[in-house]
Amino acid sequence: MDVTFNRNEDLNKQLIEQLKAKLKEIKAGGGEDSIAKIHEKGKLTARERIAWLLDESADFLEIGAMAADNMYPEDGCCPSAGVICGVGKVSGRICVIVANDATVKAGAWFPMTAKKNLRAQEIAMENNLPIIYLVDSAGVYLPLQDEIFPDKEHFGRQFRNNAKMSSMGIVQIAAIMGNCVAGGAYLPIMSDEALIVDKTGTIFLAGSYLVKAAIGETIDNETLGGASTHCEISGVTDNKYPDDKSCLDAIKEIMSTLGEPDSAGFDRISPIPPAHDADEILGKFPSERSKPYDMMEIIERVVDKASFRPYKKDYGKTLICGTARVDGWAVGFVANQRNIVKNKKGEMQMGGVIYSDSADKAARFIMNCNQRKIPLVFLQDVSGFMVGSKAEHGGIIKDGAKMVNAMANSVVPKFTFILGNSYGAGNYAMCGKAYDPRLIFSWPTGQMAVMSGASAAKTLLQIKVAALKKEGQEITSEAEQALLKEITEKYERTLHPYYAAARLWIDGVIDPRETRQVLSKGIEMANHRTITEKFNVGIIQT
């Protein structure tokens, strides 16, 4: 019996159960009472609408499920930022779906709602995917309007994206299934087709109360902007339907008529299951982030059996590079090696640290993948680049710049998974959010920050103690330890993957055993956009 394996497995399973409980709570939306009120109106909830629309309800890659988690305590909870987004298949076509959740503050737009909608549109544009909007929203949440209205990446950006997607030939279908108010009214009408549900769907720039206040006209919302008004008088909407299901069926029919999608031509053969069961990842991945492990044991449980072909296996050993198959797709892996290894000179190198030789290897490998049109996968468990006089004299900055340059200019799609540490410049070099991965997910064990909690807390403590002494205050060792504990706990809350997911620094937190499926879905969606850009790394010092 492998005690270490069992311990790792038990602790990782605990984290996964916590994740499942968290997601179950979030997916309840505004709660049972709010759901009951939706049903009383003859409507489906946002998640029920998506399930009806999809070919297979289980085949839905949700994006931003944890968005806004614990971010608006003064304004009440806002699960999933009041909007559900994801990628799935409708009538055989992979597409992006965006559905306002009217059980959460009547589907009102919080700042994170806008950010999440923009992320969904970004995925559609990056991958040339049709996008379906299921609209049911009371509009901007006015108490926070200053954080959602005027800036570049705020509410108005979605309408700019509507126009851009139209010019790109990306199909946009909107169904007005509830309220659609003020500026939000432009989103469905800037789509290619606008469907509306009779008696429950309304669309107008100003509702009846505001019309009365503004111009003194007395009118009810249905006459002002209901389905009959817009289908028979204004011509704003295209067709009306008696209920949610018939409207969703119409969307399925529209999707079934779409022509063949473009193809990037990424290579795929018949998939072969991995050599080892994915469940074993939980025992192989250490419960303590300081413990070394062999990243190849993780990779072997993600890729198709016997498909991994290493690149420069005996050089730059703190990064694993190589091509493989994942669910039949050809991919290129760049992964941090957490084992302590020997370099070509026989010197010991710390696991999870990027050295000059590793950075040089990765840069060359990324170039090769771009030349061969192979999507890239980054598995992050990185403490950063090597520091110290030896590393600096050896040109670590120059070699790190080569890697970052090649990765940033890559034109093949990139996918990032944060397994453990994701610290400092290591996050950037390994394709963090700032470098446009098509998808970026974390395991429950992931952490993102400038540096580890222990290192940061000690640094912050030194600054705090120095400031107190400057003010003439003496601090006892007991008080110093208490202060260190307080600083550490506060800092480590910001390291948690749920914290990152709430702010959409990542697309979500997944069970490690789902990595293969998520990656395959990501490459499938990326394959819908042809690569027109030329790979050019620009100027790199040699």
Side-chain angles (χ1 to χ4, degrees), residues 28 94 410 477 480 525:
I94 192 165
S410 176
S477 59
E480 189 172 312
M525 75 177 193

Side-chain angles (χ1 to χ4, degrees), residues 348-473:
M348 301 304 292
Q349 294 184 330
M350 292 186 294
V353 177
I354 302 175
Y355 289 77
S356 283
D357 53 357
S358 302
D360 176 66
K361 176 173 82 170
R364 292 168 183 264
F365 178 70
I366 290 168
M367 293 178 193
N368 286 354
C369 287
N370 274 270
Q371 186 181 46
R372 294 158 59 186
K373 204 158 70 172
I374 297 175
L376 285 160
V377 183
F378 293 83
L379 301 183
Q380 289 194 11
D381 194 349
V382 57
S383 302
F385 284 90
M386 190 58 191
V387 297
S389 59
K390 186 174 181 179
E392 298 291 1
H393 296 170
I396 185 65
I397 296 175
K398 176 184 66 178
D399 291 319
K402 288 180 186 177
M403 179 180 174
V404 171
N405 199 321
M407 181 273 300
N409 283 296
S410 176
V411 297
V412 296
K414 298 169 291 196
F415 302 90
T416 301
F417 295 88
I418 300 167
L419 281 57
N421 301 333
S422 180
Y423 297 151
N427 170 281
Y428 298 160
M430 293 294 292
C431 195
K433 184 65 181 290
Y435 292 86
D436 300 320
R438 296 290 178 94
L439 293 173
I440 177 169
F441 282 91
S442 176
W443 289 6
T445 45
Q447 284 192 353
M448 284 146 280
V450 171
M451 61 182 75
S452 69
S455 298
K458 289 174 183 176
T459 303
L460 292 168
L461 177 65
Q462 291 172 9
I463 295 169
K464 183 69 174 177
V465 169
L468 291 172
K469 287 182 178 178
K470 191 174 181 180
E471 294 171 1
Q473 299 183 42

Side-chain angles (χ1 to χ4, degrees), residues 159-310:
F159 312 130
R160 174 264 189 195
N161 288 348
N162 283 140
K164 289 290 185 182
M165 281 191 277
S166 181
S167 71
M168 295 166 66
I170 294 174
V171 173
Q172 300 177 80
I173 302 168
I176 301 150
M177 313 186 82
N179 292 320
C180 186
V181 186
Y186 285 104
L187 185 146
I189 308 311
M190 292 185 75
S191 298
D192 300 298
E193 297 213 29
L195 290 57
I196 188 168
V197 179
D198 197 17
K199 306 304 183 210
T200 56
T202 55
I203 179 169
F204 33 62
L205 294 181
S208 56
Y209 291 124
L210 185 54
V211 167
K212 177 68 173 178
I215 63 173
E217 180 183 2
T218 301
I219 190 170
D220 64 89
N221 283 340
E222 184 63 27
T223 305
L224 180 65
S228 295
T229 294
H230 286 310
C231 287
E232 300 170 19
I233 300 173
S234 71
V236 166
T237 53
D238 302 323
N239 289 295
K240 64 179 178 180
Y241 301 88
D243 52 42
D244 282 8
K245 289 182 179 178
S246 59
C247 185
L248 295 168
D249 286 340
I251 294 175
K252 294 180 187 181
E253 187 175 348
I254 294 168
M255 290 294 292
S256 72
T257 65
L258 300 189
E260 283 295 315
D262 293 337
S263 174
F266 301 134
D267 189 64
R268 191 181 196 186
I269 61 175
S270 297
I272 301 171
H276 305 281
D277 196 320
D279 285 346
E280 295 178 5
I281 291 174
L282 305 185
K284 294 292 183 180
F285 193 80
S287 55
E288 298 176 50
R289 61 186 60 253
S290 60
K291 295 290 185 183
Y293 66 95
D294 188 354
M295 179 64 84
M296 276 307 306
E297 293 192 331
I298 305 299
I299 292 173
E300 287 170 354
R301 287 157 177 81
V302 174
V303 303
D304 293 11
K305 183 178 180 179
S307 68
F308 189 83
R309 180 175 176 270

